[in-house]
Short mmCIF file of all heavy atoms in Angstrom, two decimals:
data_model
loop_
_atom_site.label_atom_id
_atom_site.label_comp_id
_atom_site.label_asym_id
_atom_site.label_seq_id
_atom_site.Cartn_x
_atom_site.Cartn_y
_atom_site.Cartn_z
N ALA A 209 82.86 72.01 137.15
CA ALA A 209 83.68 71.66 138.33
C ALA A 209 85.09 71.27 137.86
O ALA A 209 86.09 71.67 138.47
CB ALA A 209 83.04 70.52 139.10
N ALA A 210 85.15 70.55 136.74
CA ALA A 210 86.46 70.15 136.20
C ALA A 210 87.22 71.37 135.69
O ALA A 210 88.44 71.47 135.85
CB ALA A 210 86.26 69.13 135.07
N LEU A 211 86.49 72.33 135.11
CA LEU A 211 87.12 73.55 134.60
C LEU A 211 87.73 74.36 135.76
O LEU A 211 88.87 74.82 135.68
CB LEU A 211 86.09 74.39 133.84
CG LEU A 211 86.56 75.73 133.27
CD1 LEU A 211 87.69 75.56 132.26
CD2 LEU A 211 85.38 76.47 132.60
N LEU A 212 86.96 74.49 136.84
CA LEU A 212 87.47 75.22 138.01
C LEU A 212 88.71 74.53 138.57
O LEU A 212 89.70 75.18 138.91
CB LEU A 212 86.37 75.33 139.09
CG LEU A 212 86.78 76.01 140.40
CD1 LEU A 212 87.31 77.42 140.17
CD2 LEU A 212 85.61 76.04 141.39
N LYS A 213 88.65 73.19 138.62
CA LYS A 213 89.80 72.43 139.16
C LYS A 213 91.03 72.66 138.29
O LYS A 213 92.12 72.92 138.80
CB LYS A 213 89.42 70.95 139.20
CG LYS A 213 90.44 70.06 139.84
CD LYS A 213 89.82 68.69 140.20
CE LYS A 213 90.88 67.73 140.67
NZ LYS A 213 91.61 67.08 139.56
N LYS A 214 90.83 72.63 136.97
CA LYS A 214 91.94 72.84 136.04
C LYS A 214 92.53 74.25 136.23
O LYS A 214 93.75 74.43 136.29
CB LYS A 214 91.42 72.66 134.60
CG LYS A 214 92.42 72.98 133.52
CD LYS A 214 93.38 71.84 133.33
CE LYS A 214 94.42 72.16 132.26
NZ LYS A 214 95.59 71.32 132.33
N ALA A 215 91.64 75.25 136.34
CA ALA A 215 92.09 76.63 136.52
C ALA A 215 92.88 76.77 137.82
O ALA A 215 93.92 77.43 137.87
CB ALA A 215 90.90 77.59 136.50
N GLN A 216 92.39 76.11 138.87
CA GLN A 216 93.09 76.17 140.16
C GLN A 216 94.46 75.51 140.07
O GLN A 216 95.45 76.02 140.61
CB GLN A 216 92.26 75.49 141.26
CG GLN A 216 91.16 76.40 141.79
CD GLN A 216 90.16 75.68 142.68
OE1 GLN A 216 89.78 74.54 142.39
NE2 GLN A 216 89.71 76.35 143.72
N GLU A 217 94.51 74.38 139.35
CA GLU A 217 95.79 73.66 139.21
C GLU A 217 96.82 74.51 138.46
O GLU A 217 97.98 74.59 138.84
CB GLU A 217 95.57 72.34 138.45
CG GLU A 217 94.95 71.27 139.32
CD GLU A 217 94.45 70.07 138.51
OE1 GLU A 217 94.63 70.06 137.27
OE2 GLU A 217 93.88 69.16 139.13
N VAL A 218 96.36 75.15 137.36
CA VAL A 218 97.29 75.97 136.56
C VAL A 218 97.76 77.17 137.39
O VAL A 218 98.96 77.50 137.42
CB VAL A 218 96.66 76.40 135.22
CG1 VAL A 218 97.53 77.43 134.50
CG2 VAL A 218 96.44 75.18 134.32
N LEU A 219 96.83 77.80 138.10
CA LEU A 219 97.19 78.95 138.94
C LEU A 219 98.21 78.53 140.00
O LEU A 219 99.21 79.21 140.23
CB LEU A 219 95.92 79.51 139.59
CG LEU A 219 96.04 80.80 140.37
CD1 LEU A 219 96.60 81.93 139.52
CD2 LEU A 219 94.69 81.22 140.94
N GLU A 220 97.95 77.40 140.62
CA GLU A 220 98.86 76.88 141.66
C GLU A 220 100.26 76.64 141.09
O GLU A 220 101.28 77.02 141.67
CB GLU A 220 98.26 75.56 142.21
CG GLU A 220 99.05 74.90 143.31
CD GLU A 220 99.14 75.76 144.57
OE1 GLU A 220 98.12 76.36 144.94
OE2 GLU A 220 100.25 75.85 145.15
N ALA A 221 100.30 76.03 139.89
CA ALA A 221 101.59 75.65 139.30
C ALA A 221 102.37 76.86 138.77
O ALA A 221 103.60 76.91 138.86
CB ALA A 221 101.34 74.66 138.16
N VAL A 222 101.64 77.85 138.24
CA VAL A 222 102.29 78.94 137.50
C VAL A 222 102.56 80.17 138.36
O VAL A 222 103.40 81.00 138.01
CB VAL A 222 101.39 79.28 136.26
CG1 VAL A 222 101.81 80.56 135.59
CG2 VAL A 222 101.40 78.12 135.27
N HIS A 223 101.89 80.27 139.52
CA HIS A 223 101.93 81.53 140.27
C HIS A 223 103.34 82.05 140.60
O HIS A 223 103.55 83.26 140.62
CB HIS A 223 101.04 81.48 141.52
CG HIS A 223 101.63 80.79 142.69
ND1 HIS A 223 102.44 81.42 143.61
CD2 HIS A 223 101.53 79.52 143.10
CE1 HIS A 223 102.81 80.57 144.53
NE2 HIS A 223 102.29 79.41 144.25
N PRO A 224 104.35 81.19 140.82
CA PRO A 224 105.65 81.78 141.15
C PRO A 224 106.27 82.59 140.01
O PRO A 224 107.20 83.37 140.24
CB PRO A 224 106.53 80.56 141.46
CG PRO A 224 105.59 79.42 141.69
CD PRO A 224 104.38 79.72 140.87
N TYR A 225 105.77 82.40 138.81
CA TYR A 225 106.44 83.00 137.64
C TYR A 225 105.69 84.19 137.05
O TYR A 225 106.07 84.71 136.01
CB TYR A 225 106.64 81.91 136.56
CG TYR A 225 107.19 80.64 137.17
CD1 TYR A 225 106.44 79.48 137.21
CD2 TYR A 225 108.45 80.65 137.76
CE1 TYR A 225 106.94 78.34 137.83
CE2 TYR A 225 108.96 79.52 138.38
CZ TYR A 225 108.19 78.36 138.41
OH TYR A 225 108.69 77.25 139.03
N VAL A 226 104.60 84.60 137.70
CA VAL A 226 103.79 85.70 137.16
C VAL A 226 103.51 86.73 138.25
O VAL A 226 103.63 86.43 139.44
CB VAL A 226 102.46 85.18 136.54
CG1 VAL A 226 102.74 84.16 135.46
CG2 VAL A 226 101.53 84.60 137.60
N CYS A 227 103.16 87.97 137.83
CA CYS A 227 102.89 89.00 138.83
C CYS A 227 101.38 89.26 139.00
O CYS A 227 100.98 89.91 139.96
CB CYS A 227 103.62 90.29 138.50
SG CYS A 227 103.18 91.03 136.91
N ALA A 228 100.58 88.78 138.06
CA ALA A 228 99.13 88.98 138.14
C ALA A 228 98.44 87.92 137.30
O ALA A 228 99.08 87.27 136.46
CB ALA A 228 98.76 90.38 137.62
N VAL A 229 97.15 87.76 137.56
CA VAL A 229 96.35 86.85 136.72
C VAL A 229 95.24 87.67 136.07
O VAL A 229 94.69 88.57 136.69
CB VAL A 229 95.80 85.66 137.54
CG1 VAL A 229 94.91 86.12 138.68
CG2 VAL A 229 95.07 84.66 136.67
N LYS A 230 94.97 87.38 134.82
CA LYS A 230 93.90 88.07 134.08
C LYS A 230 92.82 87.04 133.77
O LYS A 230 93.12 85.97 133.22
CB LYS A 230 94.46 88.67 132.79
CG LYS A 230 93.41 89.45 131.99
CD LYS A 230 93.96 89.92 130.66
CE LYS A 230 93.89 88.87 129.57
NZ LYS A 230 92.55 88.44 129.15
N ILE A 231 91.59 87.38 134.14
CA ILE A 231 90.46 86.47 133.91
C ILE A 231 89.50 87.15 132.95
O ILE A 231 89.37 88.39 132.97
CB ILE A 231 89.79 86.15 135.28
CG1 ILE A 231 90.72 85.21 136.08
CG2 ILE A 231 88.41 85.52 135.10
CD1 ILE A 231 90.27 84.92 137.49
#
Side-chain angles (χ1 to χ4, degrees):
L211 178 61
L212 177 57
K213 186 164 172 278
K214 175 79 182 161
Q216 280 169 320
E217 283 168 2
V218 171
L219 187 57
E220 181 63 42
V222 168
H223 80 86
Y225 314 113
V226 303
C227 60
V229 60
K230 182 185 84 65
I231 288 174

